Amino acid sequence: MTAPAQTSRTFDRNARRALEDTQLRGALRHATDLFGERRRAAVGTVTDWEGLRTQARAIKDETLSRLDTYLEEFVARAEEAGARVHWARDGQEACSVIAGIARDRGARTVVKSKSMASEEIHLNAALAELDIEPIETDLGEYIIQLAGETPSHIVVPAIHKTKRQIAELFAEKLGIPPSEDVATLTEAARTALRRRFAQADLGISGVNFGVAETGTILILENEGNARLTTSLPRVHVALMGIEKVIPRFEDLDVFLKLLPRSGTGQLLTAYQSLITGTRRAEGDEGPDELHIVLMDNGRSRMLAHPTTRQSLACIRCGACLNACPVYQQVGGHAYGSVYPGPIGAVISPQLFGLDSASQLPYASSLCGACREVCPVKIDIPELLLHLRSKVAEGESGTEAKPLERLSFTAYAALMQRPRLLAWATRAGRMAQRALGVGERLGKPNAVAARLAPPMTAWTAERDLRPLSPRSFRELWREGVRDAPDRAEPPRATAAKDAEG
Amino acid sequence: MATDEARRSILSAIRRNLAESAPHDVVHAQRHEPPNPSQRGIPLPVLTGASETAAEPALPREPLARFRSRLEAVAGTFTLARGDVELSAAIERILAATGARRAAASDSPGLGGAGQDACARAGVELLVDASPAELFDCDVGISAAQWGIAETGTLVLESRRERHRFVSLLPRVHVALLSADRICETLGEALRNTREGAASETVPSAVITLVTGPSRTSDIELTLAIGVHGPQELHVIVTEPAEATTVTSAASAAETPDPGRTP
């Protein structure tokens, strides 16, 4: 399976297009405002939210620093409880393992509950090659599957679609009379999918957390489709990124307090399924087989530096998306990656390659809203800067921009030589007078108008201020430091006093 | 085997990358907050029910009342039944209100005759030990819950205690019986309770399901729709012995009034 076609090289173009889509912008504004409000209210129900975040981050740090040990413990316990664990180095291997399980069990109808990891590796496309079409059962994912689109938000994948668009889609694909009534549309999806659940041979799910101590996997949801996917079919396949493991059963308490509140402002989602192995006795309810596919696909590489390692702490709540002023305006599709928003901007380059996602670390004003809301305190701005420096240095085949490099070299040379700086400032002021701009005219952008591209890229959205008549260094030398707190220099004031 | 090779490769990649990070970790630690000590050294933030109600003074302090308040906030219904007669009457009322024709019951001993009586009086066919295929055609599923959680209005269903995995999921209506003395204050307490039992039973059930209200989605234009793939209605009947005059709960014996707190 080749790497996904990345449109994240063209973020700025995608963003400009998204900004023209007023319906999308309205939907995003509505969604992000609502989730933001609800998150704030839910956070208010916990007396020590900061302490909880600190604890969660500590648990994640502890886990990641000994990830190999915890993974081995998880596998041992899970297998004791009857699960079969498969390891997959990359997406291709994971797809191949899952396709193999489906093929060996002659699975024809496959149902799927939400799994970001499965979209990361394009699992549906891999299974389609075996003529198996896994049916997405999460309502939002079902809608975009019918529409042949990709998700635009981690939590509400079909947020970019209106009721009317969904009504038309259901009328076309499900043969129901068009109706914009949400209850009617939901009922139509329920009926259509119930038939599939009843026939399903194999269910594929993601995993929110894997507990090393007991070999338990935990799946959160609101709709009930994950419970159906993981209970009805004879075979359950759970795809789990290696970073999902946590040490102890009791640690679930901490994360279950953080994740629903952060993502949707709920105290808890409607259902959590804590699955430990397979059914214990013949005649018990549940699948005969549980396969856990542990996938790396670039995650282990992130362990190699403390700054990048924190990427693996992410619990996929979506809070950073809702808080981000960039995401709020352009939505998920502009990022061109299955992982959009602030967290997507830092993990997409790491998972899919810096060159294929080189614009994403720049898709940010570094305001830090994401860092404030992250339940596990990931310092996303720090990560963005880390990745930007790699892009600027031309790592991983990103083009090092020669003019940019030259500009920064010149800047560094100038700033390290005070006399040269002073000379350059004086020369700049003379040129400013010669060109007829400066404070006397009071039109700063007149300077910009006289510049040529590519410098106009800088000034297109920024005012270029003229150099002031006296630099701070000059004022300092003249004794502004010793002047009492007043606007004019001491000599002028004394003269005024003398005049009486 | 491919998976063994993958396993070795992944584990060795993890170790190699952690080793590569080690010198950077030292520098990073110097520039950032001191690293948190190991999990065992950090006291849990005080997350007991009592301190949570400090964050929300309007919420009832008493666990049963808090459970009710949270349950109703997520569109579940709450009924208190003392003794089998009241229990049967409560089930009958729900059956009548939902217009059920066919119901299914789990194998919970707590259901006993009350379920059968209620169905008989309401003229509802009752299936016991129904298969998933039969459950797709049932209107109501009746089961017990092993624990309740006051802080969120949640039910805890343990598959090793009762056969209710599908009864609680497939029919459109779920009626759940919960004994009042099984209401825990917090999720943490409930999770601990699921692990207690005979020494051979410290492995959790094949599945533990936490249920907080009926199924729901906001995927269509963020408009809330209740009833998606799971049940559309959740009715919780909290039971007490017939002779109980005061409400009991798991924590009430230990709960001491705080003189400094305004009631």
Side-chain angles (χ1 to χ4, degrees), chain B residues 206-229:
Chain B
V207 65
I208 298 168
T209 310
L210 304 181
V211 175
T212 309
S215 64
R216 62 195 54 228
T217 182
S218 300
D219 273 335
I220 297 177
E221 276 200 26
L222 281 194
T223 310
L224 179 65
I226 301 237
V228 196
H229 303 290

Side-chain angles (χ1 to χ4, degrees), chain A residues 2 14 84 96 98 104 122 162 172 194 208 247 305 313 348 361 370 411 428 436 442-443 448 453 458 473 482:
Chain A
T2 50
N14 301 341
R84 273 194 57 188
S96 160
I98 296 172
D104 293 347
H122 291 246
T162 59
E172 185 199 342
R194 261 170 118 67
N208 293 100
H305 192 284
S348 304
C370 52
Y411 177 78
K443 288 197 170 90
W458 181 263
R473 297 169 71 92
D482 299 324

Side-chain angles (χ1 to χ4, degrees), chain B residues 23-35:
Chain B
H24 301 288
D25 292 345
V26 176
V27 176
H28 198 259
Q30 287 164 359
R31 292 183 186 161
H32 291 71
E33 270 172 36

